[in-house]
């Protein structure tokens, strides 16, 4: 059977210290933790000593750190000065990635929504991503762009458009069915085939459309249909059925990580435990029926 690894997203545990978040992930049976690059967990300003302490804690718990989930970038709509500052923050995070033995670092190219973007948005994002890619390559790291609503890369087609302009294999994509559900683009077999070799990492979360937001776990988002409202759900309780995606990943012999990005309005440990159990069950079921 092929190997798949599960990471907890530390962003779902922001009420915890990074040490507590790591201990929780290990206790629940995760293989690793994807660290959200914002305080109190990690930032470009985090000291080397503290970063080394994180790696020591992770080693003691037997946790890998596959990705640092950076929030820097947003080049397409920023000023040149802001882009330079974002680039410098990225370089600082690259050093953290090396000390934490993380293979990849997430960047955001910026917005607006792909259906509103102009050519110059893509060209500007590509220019700065090429600079970042050159630096990442020197460090032996990869850059990941998350397919994300309200961004230039909110569909497989728009993501591949930007990658074509960057033209550097150092840069790959994070498949995120939850984000793609918000956008209204397909997130099953066709998306895996379309992304092909560029699919390097997978985020898993569930949600559903609702009439209005305002309650815990709800949010609103601009889509091609206008302003829409969503409720974040535990896996299997919303409208983002990942089973077809998992089957497609298995057929493509995907051997990477699944990061559970759980933001449902439940106690963090409870929601992570639930989502991990469901994800493992769906993955096992897909493996058992793979040759049917």
């Amino acid at each position: 059977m092929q190997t798949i690894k599960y990471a907890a997203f530390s962003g779902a545990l922001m009420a915890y210290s990074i040490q507590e978040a790591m201990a929780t992930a290990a206790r629940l049976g995760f293989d690793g933790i994807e660290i959200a690059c914002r305080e109190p967990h990690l930032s470009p300003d985090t000291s080397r000593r503290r970063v080394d302490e994180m790696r020591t804690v992770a080693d003691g718990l037997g946790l890998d750190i596959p990705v640092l989930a950076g929030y820097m970038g947003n080049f397409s709509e920023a000023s040149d000065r802001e882009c330079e500052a974002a680039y410098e923050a990225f370089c600082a995070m690259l050093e953290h990635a090396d000390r934490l033995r993380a293979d990849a670092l997430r960047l955001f190219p910026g917005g607006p929504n792909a259906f509103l973007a102009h050519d110059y948005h893509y060209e500007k994002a590509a220019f700065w991503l090429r600079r970042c890619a050159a630096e990442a390559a020197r460090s032996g790291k990869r850059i990941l762009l998350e397919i994300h609503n309200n961004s230039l890369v909110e569909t497989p087609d728009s993501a591949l458009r930007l990658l074509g302009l960057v033209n550097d294999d150092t840069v790959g994509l994070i498949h995120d069915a939850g984000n793609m559900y918000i956008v209204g683009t397909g997130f099953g077999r066709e998306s895996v085939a379309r992304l092909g070799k560029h699919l390097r990492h997978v985020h898993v979360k569930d949600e559903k459309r609702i009439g209005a937001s305002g309650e815990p776990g709800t949010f609103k988002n601009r889509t091609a249909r206008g302003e829409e409202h969503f409720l974040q759900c535990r896996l299997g309780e919303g409208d983002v059925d990942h089973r077809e995606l998992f089957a497609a990943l298995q057929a493509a012999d995907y051997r990477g990580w699944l990061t559970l990005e759980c933001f449902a309005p439940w106690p963090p440990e409870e929601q992570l435990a639930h989502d991990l159990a469901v994800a493992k069950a769906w993955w096992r079921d897909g493996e058992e029926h793979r040759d049917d």
Side-chain angles (χ1 to χ4, degrees), residues 42-44 46-49 51-52 68 72 87-102 105 135-136 139 141:
L42 184 65
S43 76
T46 303
S47 69
R48 291 181 177 180
R49 177 178 177 179
V51 171
D52 289 343
L68 299 185
M72 71 288 293
Y87 172 75
E88 291 174 2
F90 167 77
C91 291
M93 292 306 304
L94 268 182
E95 182 178 341
H96 291 346
D98 188 53
R99 303 182 83 86
L100 291 168
R101 299 198 299 277
L105 178 60
E135 195 66 33
S139 301
K141 304 299 179 185

Side-chain angles (χ1 to χ4, degrees), residues 109-120:
N113 303 70
F115 65 89
L116 297 173
H118 298 284
D119 290 347
Y120 64 80

Side-chain angles (χ1 to χ4, degrees), residues 198-249:
H198 302 293
L199 196 163
R200 307 277 177 81
H201 192 72
V202 177
H203 281 175
V204 175
K205 59 176 175 281
D206 201 354
E207 53 222 352
K208 62 183 177 182
R209 282 177 169 79
I210 56 175
S213 55
E215 296 299 317
T218 65
F219 63 97
K220 60 184 177 181
N221 218 278
R222 183 178 186 180
T223 73
R225 292 171 294 275
E227 185 175 89
E228 294 191 285
H229 303 265
F230 302 87
L231 171 65
Q232 298 172 106
C233 303
R234 298 192 305 179
L235 196 58
E237 297 178 356
D239 293 333
V240 189
D241 191 338
H242 286 73
R243 282 173 283 197
E244 181 186 340
L245 169 63
F246 285 7
L249 292 172

